[in-house]
Amino acid sequence: MIQMGNNLDWNTDLQVGFLIDKLDHFGNDKLQKKLRKLLKKKFNDKKMRPEVVEFNTFILAKAHCNNGDFDKSESRITTEKNLHSLYQDYVKRSSKLLRSRTKRNRSEIESHGILEKFLTSIPKCPDNPGHIISEENRKMIDFIEKSFLHIIERSWIIFWAFKQKGEDRIIIQNEIFHRNYDRKSSSSALHAFDELLILNFTRPLLKSFDHLLQNINNRVENIEDAFKGSIKIGITNPELASEAFGILIGELVGGIDAIHTIIRQITRIEEIQNSAKQEILILNGFGEEIRKTVNNGRNLQEMKSKFQGIITTLKNLQISIRELINQTKEGNIEINLDNFHSAVIALPIQLREVKIWADRFMDIAFLSPESGGELSMLSKEYSSLDQEHDEDIIIKARGLHKTYRPSTSTVYALRGANLNVREGEFLAILGPSGSGKTTLINMMAGLDMPDRGQVYLRGKAISSMSDNELSEYRRNHIGFVFQSYLLDPRLSVYENVALPAKMAGKTENLQTRVVELLDNLGLKEYANQDPTKLSGGQLQRVIIARSCINFPHVVFADEPTGDLDSETGKQVLLYFRKLCDEKGIAFVVVTHDQEMSSFADRVFRMKDGQIVG
Ligand code: ADP
């Protein structure tokens, strides 16, 4: 996790941002290691270790230096060269990997074989259509590889802040931008680093999307014509023809889906650009050049509507091909024979290209424009969230990102979530399943660490706490109503509820407290029961009693009423409300139950890993 202490006594700060290939876990790990090693060597400061982190589409590295060495240009230039060559190696590897990954797989080769057979059964077939398909595929991959390299090579940024001199220096590709500022009155451009990185990367990417658009546009019109002609051709093998047309329809469905993804990616880029441009505007001093450099000048709305237009064409094409499937049953199809063969060859290759683009930059749809991360987090220090009266805030979550990588896919569970929990308030977090609710409360409760962003407990960053300190805080001040926090089957209900109090040494009036809690939750007569004999709903209420026994500052509850019938559920919520009002316990309750809203002081909704309202 990158942590930027704004109170550190540093003179020079270096930041590096590299675009990476999310599917290349091994290469990315290696790059991170090498970066860490390089920066450690260059920034020989034991106190300030360089930090390297992988996030969404980038690897970011930070290093601080106190010795003033980097004021000398030689040290700086060698560091820049080393960084550049490190990245170059990575780019080469990435290119090789792309080639091996985009080799046609077995089912693709089989499908192309069927198309080839079908083409040869139609008059005017060129020699060896299979060979033409392979050649076209190869050309397409060459083009993609060149474009990917172009994007990756242009997507790295180096940033230096020379605090003592009051100078910022940003290197984007081979251009260097300087900015001098008055140390006393103006801040470093560090805040805008993430935004610059993202903007800079989207510039060559959008250019490639533009090319892609033109490619498909030129091709699909011809393809459409070919399938809609009026020349009657006899079909000798109707089964083969149906199979071939079926393959083309399958390709069309996948292609349409990929274009939808690309449209989503462009929408996200648009959002990111808008927020990033604001951020850059704050950077007066860098002048027009940097703004020009990162401004792609493309009309993204127009681009999206053109892609949308292609979807319409492809859908029409689906209809035409279905019509041809019907015709094959009669033994004839009506096509435009002049360009039919080239259309059948071009269509799957063109659609394959779209899919490769959509897949490679899948992450973009998840880049967070709002809390681009740590840097924008710092600049949001003055945002409304942080102006809230701090003393009341028990838990503060800022810019939380969490990514899971089950097998080869990537799940963006949190994408920049921000939240304050204040004393004695009842918060409900609503949202569909999979929107990141559990992940968010796990982070806020210190049960898991975010990849990026920070959780503060009473103003103290969780990541700076020792394990002991954190468990002590959790034991004394946090209650959990989680399904995974099972009861101890060897203890009675009473003993289970009393256990956290004993562990925390809070045994004063313990018996009265336990009895009162059990009574209020309708469990008095089960005090001496073995928990294994209780129903799901009763167990859930014991877990609730246990979570509240120490009168913690905050109770986190994940679907607390999930196992209860609606009447008991309501009773439990009323009791939460009572504890909240009378004992000042804050509740953070995750649910997909709309009813919960009526009990809460504040309701948040989550969608795709972000709090949306
Ligand atoms: P919610 O609580 O809103 O249902 P979660 O926070 O449980 O959402 O999950 C958010 C996303 O993260 C989901 O897509 C889920 O599958 C994924 N996820 C959560 N935990 C893990 C994990 N340990 N490994 C892989 N994916 C996970």
Side-chain angles (χ1 to χ4, degrees):
M1 184 191 323
I2 292 194
Q3 249 200 77
M4 230 345 268
N6 44 354
N7 50 355
L8 295 175
D9 171 28
W10 43 263
N11 300 321
T12 305
D13 186 46
L14 169 71
Q15 288 223 54
V16 184
F18 289 155
L19 178 72
I20 48 155
D21 178 349
K22 282 302 278 191
L23 294 178
D24 183 13
H25 303 320
F26 180 67
N28 295 343
D29 286 349
K30 225 161 109 181
L31 178 64
Q32 285 195 53
K33 264 193 205 129
K34 284 189 176 166
L35 253 173
R36 206 169 280 126
K37 206 166 144 193
L38 174 71
L39 294 177
K40 217 162 144 185
K41 200 168 110 198
K42 298 280 174 193
F43 290 77
N44 193 15
D45 185 332
K46 291 201 176 56
K47 266 201 327 235
M48 311 275 183
R49 300 166 74 82
E51 289 174 274
V52 180
V53 71
E54 183 181 331
F55 120 95
N56 282 345
T57 313
F58 303 102
I59 279 184
L60 300 184
K62 281 191 182 194
H64 312 284
C65 176
N66 286 321
N67 61 19
D69 204 27
F70 289 89
D71 287 354
K72 290 191 226 113
S73 62
E74 309 91 74
S75 333
R76 209 184 49 235
I77 291 167
T78 2
T79 310
E80 284 161 10
K81 275 193 182 148
N82 293 152
L83 284 167
H84 193 193
S85 69
L86 187 65
Y87 190 49
Q88 280 301 312
D89 288 346
Y90 176 79
V91 172
K92 271 189 219 142
R93 178 192 154 89
S94 172
S95 158
K96 253 202 217 147
L97 208 71
L98 171 80
R99 187 158 281 274
S100 66
R101 243 195 251 133
T102 39
K103 271 197 187 128
R104 283 179 301 164
N105 61 32
R106 237 179 66 203
S107 79
E108 263 170 337
I109 293 174
E110 272 169 22
S111 307
H112 293 172
I114 293 165
L115 291 178
E116 180 191 348
K117 252 201 215 156
F118 167 61
L119 285 173
T120 10
S121 73
I122 300 276
K124 279 200 185 171
C125 181
D127 281 344
N128 205 342
H131 180 69
I132 305 179
I133 294 181
S134 300
E135 260 309 285
E136 287 289 314
N137 242 308
R138 196 187 54 74
K139 272 197 236 151
M140 184 266 291
I141 300 292
D142 280 349
F143 177 74
I144 290 196
E145 186 179 318
K146 232 169 70 195
S147 314
F148 280 10
L149 273 180
H150 180 85
I151 294 171
I152 299 178
E153 274 172 350
R154 273 159 189 71
S155 305
W156 65 287
I157 292 189
I158 288 186
F159 178 97
W160 293 95
F162 297 99
K163 284 288 179 174
Q164 246 167 27
K165 287 204 288 185
E167 181 192 328
D168 282 338
R169 168 194 289 265
I170 291 186
I171 304 169
I172 300 179
Q173 300 152 47
N174 296 319
E175 288 180 82
I176 302 181
F177 302 91
H178 292 272
R179 172 185 188 256
N180 290 309
Y181 59 90
D182 172 2
R183 274 193 300 134
K184 289 193 200 85
S185 60
S186 170
S187 67
S188 151
L190 209 62
H191 295 311
F193 179 80
D194 283 10
E195 279 71 15
L196 279 175
L197 186 61
I198 293 171
L199 276 186
N200 182 52
F201 147 68
T202 55
R203 189 170 46 132
L205 176 67
L206 286 168
K207 197 169 158 203
S208 298
F209 278 175
D210 232 5
H211 278 301
L212 175 69
L213 193 58
Q214 277 165 18
N215 270 357
I216 328 178
N217 250 336
N218 294 342
R219 277 187 160 176
V220 287
E221 275 174 25
N222 288 341
I223 295 175
E224 231 191 344
D225 278 353
F227 289 101
K228 272 212 240 144
S230 54
I231 301 175
K232 237 185 191 158
I233 301 291
I235 291 291
T236 45
N237 185 344
E239 264 172 33
L240 177 65
S242 292
E243 201 177 351
F245 288 135
I247 288 171
L248 293 180
I249 289 202
E251 297 282 351
L252 279 168
V253 172
I256 290 172
D257 207 36
I259 296 181
H260 278 301
T261 304
I262 290 179
I263 293 175
R264 271 205 304 279
Q265 288 165 345
I266 300 173
T267 305
R268 185 67 80 190
I269 291 173
E270 211 174 4
E271 289 168 10
I272 294 167
Q273 283 187 345
N274 289 338
S275 70
K277 275 183 191 151
Q278 294 302 319
E279 199 83 33
I280 292 175
L281 280 182
I282 304 167
L283 294 181
N284 41 23
F286 264 118
E288 269 307 301
E289 309 103 89
I290 201 161
R291 250 168 273 166
K292 263 195 226 141
T293 301
V294 293
N295 195 349
N296 70 82
R298 280 188 170 71
N299 183 339
L300 300 188
Q301 283 298 336
E302 194 181 299
M303 202 180 208
K304 277 198 289 188
S305 62
K306 282 185 183 165
F307 271 115
Q308 203 69 54
I310 289 174
I311 292 183
T312 313
T313 315
L314 296 183
K315 283 189 174 160
N316 289 336
L317 205 54
Q318 261 180 307
I319 299 173
S320 310
I321 297 178
R322 287 226 159 83
E323 175 59 22
L324 290 181
I325 295 180
N326 284 337
Q327 291 173 13
T328 51
K329 289 173 196 148
E330 285 143 31
N332 290 307
I333 52 169
E334 282 189 10
I335 52 171
N336 176 351
L337 196 56
D338 284 341
N339 54 10
F340 183 75
H341 299 88
S342 54
V344 173
I345 289 171
L347 186 60
I349 296 164
Q350 185 56 67
L351 296 173
R352 198 165 171 240
E353 180 176 0
V354 180
K355 283 181 228 160
I356 295 175
W357 278 106
D359 278 358
R360 172 62 176 84
F361 295 102
M362 201 168 63
D363 301 41
I364 298 177
F366 295 96
L367 280 178
S368 169
E370 208 236 327
S371 317
E374 222 261 340
L375 293 163
S376 58
M377 228 174 84
L378 278 184
S379 65
K380 283 189 189 345
E381 208 80 349
Y382 307 102
S383 73
S384 58
L385 264 177
D386 286 294
Q387 279 169 11
E388 289 180 27
H389 194 47
D390 249 17
E391 278 166 29
D392 289 350
I393 298 176
I394 313 169
I395 295 179
K396 188 156 91 167
R398 287 295 177 276
L400 301 189
H401 286 80
K402 184 77 182 176
T403 306
Y404 294 107
R405 281 195 209 141
S407 63
T408 54
S409 62
T410 309
V411 179
Y412 299 93
L414 286 183
R415 297 191 293 116
N418 299 307
L419 193 68
N420 286 340
V421 181
R422 284 197 239 103
E423 274 175 8
E425 70 174 343
F426 193 133
L427 297 187
I429 303 178
L430 264 70
S433 170
S435 56
K437 305 182 296 294
T438 303
T439 311
L440 175 64
I441 61 167
N442 277 341
M443 305 281 155
M444 291 205 295
L447 295 172
D448 199 355
M449 287 295 169
D451 296 335
R452 243 178 147 212
Q454 188 60 274
V455 173
Y456 302 88
L457 287 179
R458 295 271 181 210
K460 186 159 186 186
I462 283 193
S463 64
S464 70
M465 289 172 138
S466 68
D467 284 352
N468 278 346
E469 215 178 339
L470 188 57
S471 0
E472 197 180 329
Y473 190 92
R474 275 204 301 256
R475 199 163 51 232
N476 291 325
H477 304 301
I478 297 183
F480 297 97
V481 184
F482 286 6
Q483 296 291 355
S484 50
Y485 269 58
L486 298 174
L487 299 174
D488 189 331
R490 294 162 303 179
L491 303 177
S492 69
V493 165
Y494 178 96
E495 285 162 341
N496 263 294
V497 175
L499 188 66
K502 287 185 180 155
M503 279 167 68
K506 292 183 175 176
T507 48
E508 206 179 317
N509 300 330
L510 185 56
Q511 192 177 0
T512 328
R513 275 155 55 203
V514 178
V515 171
E516 190 185 331
L517 272 169
L518 290 177
D519 195 14
N520 277 311
L521 287 159
L523 293 166
K524 203 170 158 191
E525 65 264 40
Y526 301 99
N528 297 319
Q529 278 264 15
D530 168 354
T532 52
K533 305 233 167 70
L534 299 183
S535 71
Q538 287 163 337
L539 277 176
Q540 181 72 328
R541 280 177 284 150
V542 180
I543 296 175
I544 290 169
R546 186 184 58 176
S547 74
C548 296
I549 187 67
N550 286 338
F551 299 125
H553 294 163
V554 53
V555 170
F556 288 102
D558 196 355
E559 299 281 357
T561 54
D563 281 341
L564 309 177
D565 62 75
S566 66
E567 190 44 40
T568 321
K570 207 167 157 194
Q571 293 305 323
V572 164
L573 290 177
L574 278 170
Y575 188 55
F576 276 177
R577 188 69 253 182
K578 189 172 164 217
L579 285 172
C580 188
D581 295 337
E582 291 175 6
K583 308 275 184 208
I585 302 178
F587 282 87
V588 180
V589 181
V590 156
T591 179
H592 55 254
D593 177 6
Q594 295 287 339
E595 272 265 314
M596 188 76 82
S597 325
S598 52
F599 294 90
D601 297 317
R602 291 196 288 160
V603 178
F604 294 94
R605 271 163 229 284
M606 285 201 79
K607 192 172 167 253
D608 300 337
Q610 285 187 314
I611 290 178
V612 290

